[in-house]
Short mmCIF file of all heavy atoms in Angstrom, two decimals:
data_model
loop_
_atom_site.label_atom_id
_atom_site.label_comp_id
_atom_site.label_asym_id
_atom_site.label_seq_id
_atom_site.Cartn_x
_atom_site.Cartn_y
_atom_site.Cartn_z
N PHE A 256 54.15 -24.95 -62.54
CA PHE A 256 53.14 -25.81 -63.12
C PHE A 256 51.81 -25.67 -62.37
O PHE A 256 50.76 -25.58 -62.98
CB PHE A 256 53.61 -27.26 -63.12
CG PHE A 256 52.60 -28.22 -63.67
CD1 PHE A 256 52.36 -28.29 -65.03
CD2 PHE A 256 51.88 -29.04 -62.82
CE1 PHE A 256 51.41 -29.16 -65.54
CE2 PHE A 256 50.93 -29.92 -63.32
CZ PHE A 256 50.71 -29.97 -64.69
N ALA A 263 44.49 -21.84 -65.31
CA ALA A 263 43.73 -22.39 -66.44
C ALA A 263 42.37 -22.88 -65.99
O ALA A 263 41.38 -22.71 -66.68
CB ALA A 263 44.50 -23.53 -67.10
N SER A 324 14.04 -33.87 -55.23
CA SER A 324 13.79 -33.53 -53.83
C SER A 324 15.11 -33.31 -53.08
O SER A 324 16.16 -33.80 -53.50
CB SER A 324 13.00 -34.63 -53.12
OG SER A 324 13.81 -35.78 -52.93
N VAL A 349 30.52 -37.99 -50.21
CA VAL A 349 31.08 -36.91 -49.39
C VAL A 349 30.30 -36.83 -48.08
O VAL A 349 29.07 -36.79 -48.11
CB VAL A 349 31.00 -35.57 -50.15
CG1 VAL A 349 31.60 -34.45 -49.34
CG2 VAL A 349 31.69 -35.68 -51.51
#
Side-chain angles (χ1 to χ4, degrees):
F256 178 74
S324 72
V349 181

